[in-house]
Amino acid sequence: MNVSPNAATLSTMPANSKPRGRKKHGGMREQHQHLDIKIGARVRTRRTLMGLSQSDLGEAIGLTFQQVQKYERGANRIGASTLFRIAEVLDVPVSFFFDDLGAQPGQGSDLTLCRADLEFAKRLALLPKSVKDGIADLVRVLAKAEG
């Protein structure tokens, strides 16, 4: 009788045992997904601040806007070469996407912004430097009053 290795292995296992498979590392997987989401959010923030659409970025790096969208949501992990091309198009060093990612909330700088913050930043960029400097001073005073 010709028995395959898998059948032989299963036949020698105790009846109440389950076949061993790959161990799941749920905690590690969740941590990686969290990083993918944070990096994607930084891509979205920088792209938006530069006034680029997902289609514009996708075209510049040779991908569809749908793929860019998946990267920005953290649904797909960005490979090293793709992240390098994205950094070139967005005119930032690759380290921009990783700076302070390990910091706890309230520590370091959190570069993820909501839509209203991005809209504010885009409009602020259109103002003359003297007006921007005055607004920056006002924001510093207000932030100290809150803290």
Side-chain angles (χ1 to χ4, degrees):
M1 181 168 144
N2 199 359
V3 178
S4 70
N6 290 342
T9 304
L10 290 175
S11 66
T12 60
M13 291 176 52
N16 61 352
S17 294
K18 294 182 181 178
R20 289 186 182 180
R22 292 177 71 183
K23 289 184 180 180
K24 292 186 179 183
H25 299 286
M28 188 65 78
R29 184 172 294 138
E30 288 174 15
Q31 187 178 28
H32 286 196
Q33 186 177 18
H34 177 72
L35 289 174
D36 295 337
I37 291 168
K38 292 284 232 176
I39 291 168
R42 289 181 181 197
V43 170
R44 178 178 47 89
T45 298
R46 181 64 181 168
R47 175 187 56 77
T48 304
L49 287 173
M50 291 189 69
L52 297 173
S53 68
Q54 290 176 334
S55 296
D56 295 335
L57 178 57
E59 187 176 316
I61 61 174
L63 297 172
T64 64
F65 82 90
Q66 292 98 332
Q67 187 61 49
V68 172
Q69 190 175 56
K70 288 178 182 181
Y71 288 152
E72 289 182 357
R73 282 192 325 233
N76 287 1
R77 184 167 293 159
I78 305 173
S81 60
T82 302
L83 190 59
F84 184 81
R85 289 193 321 258
I86 290 171
E88 285 183 320
V89 171
L90 298 181
D91 197 28
V92 292
V94 173
S95 62
F96 169 83
F97 302 108
F98 297 96
D99 289 342
D100 298 325
L101 280 184
Q104 297 298 321
Q107 296 177 331
S109 61
D110 185 5
L111 296 175
T112 56
L113 303 173
C114 69
R115 190 175 304 268
D117 293 338
L118 292 172
E119 185 63 30
F120 177 76
K122 283 172 35 179
R123 291 176 189 252
L124 185 65
L126 300 174
L127 298 173
K129 183 178 179 345
S130 60
V131 175
K132 286 191 275 191
D133 291 343
I135 292 172
D137 291 340
L138 174 63
V139 170
R140 275 192 279 287
V141 169
L142 292 173
K144 285 181 184 176
E146 285 292 315

